[in-house]
Amino acid sequence: GGKLEALASSPAMTDWALKSNGGKVLMTTSLDERYPPENMLDGHEQSYWISTGLYPQEVLVELGQKASLRNVKITGTNLKGVRLEGCSEDTPVNFKVIGESALPDAKGKISTNDVKAKADVDLKYLKVIITSGWFDFASVHKISVS
């Protein structure tokens, strides 16, 4: 796909969650040092972050620059309920719900799902909240925004 690559590199399509574009994970509600949070933003599906403990689980991402989000693509396992919250301020304090989705059961396999985002302002921070899972643990392999 030469066409796809050209599309992905156009300025309107920049994935500001990607580590190479300045995206950072500021906080997660659980931590296993074998599966560090930055794995979610490295652009690879082979690496991941895994939850330890009960739902909800939260991931707070600082985008490489303020951006208007229409869609958040989440790749992972056992993700059931996902809520998106966004913050446009310089510090990640006041968040508004910008999207919510119930994801299908992929029977423990890695799946990628789009969660539509409706934000009326450009966001600096994105919170991905896993409200429920299909299993005791969930993994997030990739978060990308467009």
Side-chain angles (χ1 to χ4, degrees):
K3 229 179 204 161
L4 270 175
E5 275 133 35
L7 249 182
S9 63
S10 74
M13 297 289 285
T14 300
D15 178 3
W16 291 112
L18 201 60
K19 191 171 163 186
S20 55
N21 290 332
K24 287 189 209 74
V25 176
L26 298 185
M27 191 262 335
T28 55
T29 43
S30 58
L31 185 60
D32 179 331
E33 53 279 344
R34 293 171 302 170
Y35 309 106
E38 55 269 20
N39 282 352
M40 293 180 273
L41 306 183
D42 66 6
H44 302 293
E45 269 184 33
Q46 301 83 354
S47 57
Y48 56 92
W49 166 84
I50 195 162
S51 68
T52 59
L54 303 170
Y55 298 102
Q57 291 283 334
E58 291 187 11
V59 175
L60 175 58
V61 175
E62 179 179 357
L63 302 176
Q65 75 171 45
K66 278 192 173 183
S68 74
L69 302 189
R70 299 284 161 261
N71 191 59
V72 177
K73 196 180 280 290
I74 301 171
T75 302
T77 62
N78 300 315
L79 303 168
K80 185 177 184 183
V82 173
R83 186 168 73 238
L84 304 176
E85 295 183 1
C87 171
S88 61
E89 295 153 24
D90 292 334
T91 51
V93 179
N94 300 305
F95 283 82
K96 289 192 178 107
V97 176
I98 58 166
E100 198 146 8
S101 191
L103 307 182
D105 187 357
K107 310 278 187 250
K109 291 187 170 60
I110 296 177
S111 65
T112 299
N113 292 281
D114 292 298
V115 182
K116 295 286 170 241
K118 286 190 181 73
D120 45 5
V121 290
D122 285 359
L123 301 173
K124 180 66 180 161
Y125 301 97
L126 171 69
K127 202 185 276 185
V128 177
I129 301 162
I130 305 162
T131 55
S132 60
W134 291 104
F135 188 66
D136 297 344
F137 304 101
S139 66
V140 178
H141 296 242
K142 205 156 123 190
I143 295 173
S144 58
V145 302
S146 55

